Amino acid sequence: MRLAVKLNHLDLQVPDVQRSVQFFERYFNFEMCSNRSSPAVAVMEDRHGLVLVLQRLKNPAEKYPEGFHIGFYVEDEALVHEVQAKARADGHEVSDIIRNNRGTMLYFKAPGDLLVEVNCRPRAA
């Protein structure tokens, strides 16, 4: 029997839950599903069934390993440029736009030094 699975949620440990909530609302349109004022945990949802849980990091000295990141696909290359402009205007350090065989993408940091990728896949010719 082949098990049918779907990714249900992602639980990230962050130093500041409220700052991270604001980040994921602003850039990726996540919506709160839990108590908005909790400093310890937030449960958020995208519009496609993915649940994002943000929990306060217990040990502030812990960091994500090098290369660890979360990625978001967008449908249009123009959206990659929009995110870049918005994030730079907000004072985030944002990479230049990268184009390669995986698409058009950029990288920037969420609160807590979490690396985020925004990518538009290349269209089939």
Side-chain angles (χ1 to χ4, degrees):
M1 173 173 83
R2 188 167 193 113
L3 183 63
V5 297
K6 178 183 174 187
L7 181 62
N8 170 266
H9 73 275
L10 180 62
D11 188 322
L12 298 174
Q13 307 298 298
V14 297
D16 186 328
V17 170
Q18 294 306 311
R19 279 190 62 219
S20 296
V21 164
Q22 292 169 357
F23 178 87
F24 285 102
E25 285 176 329
R26 178 159 175 74
Y27 295 103
F28 302 107
N29 297 316
F30 276 80
E31 297 177 336
M32 284 295 293
C33 301
S34 65
N35 178 355
R36 176 168 287 284
S37 62
S38 173
V41 66
V43 179
M44 305 181 80
E45 246 183 70
D46 70 4
R47 290 165 177 79
H48 308 286
L50 177 67
V51 174
L52 177 63
V53 179
L54 302 170
Q55 290 194 64
R56 184 175 50 219
L57 185 65
K58 307 236 183 322
N59 179 355
E62 291 181 358
K63 301 286 182 198
Y64 289 107
E66 186 177 339
F68 179 85
H69 69 280
I70 59 174
F72 293 93
Y73 282 121
V74 295
E75 292 295 319
D76 188 306
E77 189 175 308
L79 293 172
V80 176
H81 291 272
E82 283 181 34
V83 170
Q84 183 189 49
K86 185 178 192 177
R88 282 186 174 162
D90 288 344
H92 292 280
E93 185 177 325
V94 184
S95 74
D96 291 333
I97 301 292
I98 301 163
R99 288 183 180 84
N100 60 30
N101 62 341
R102 294 188 308 119
T104 300
M105 68 200 77
L106 64 83
Y107 293 89
F108 69 116
K109 297 279 181 98
D113 228 17
L114 173 64
L115 186 61
V116 176
E117 173 186 324
V118 178
N119 185 328
C120 179
R121 292 180 182 172
R123 304 233 187 269

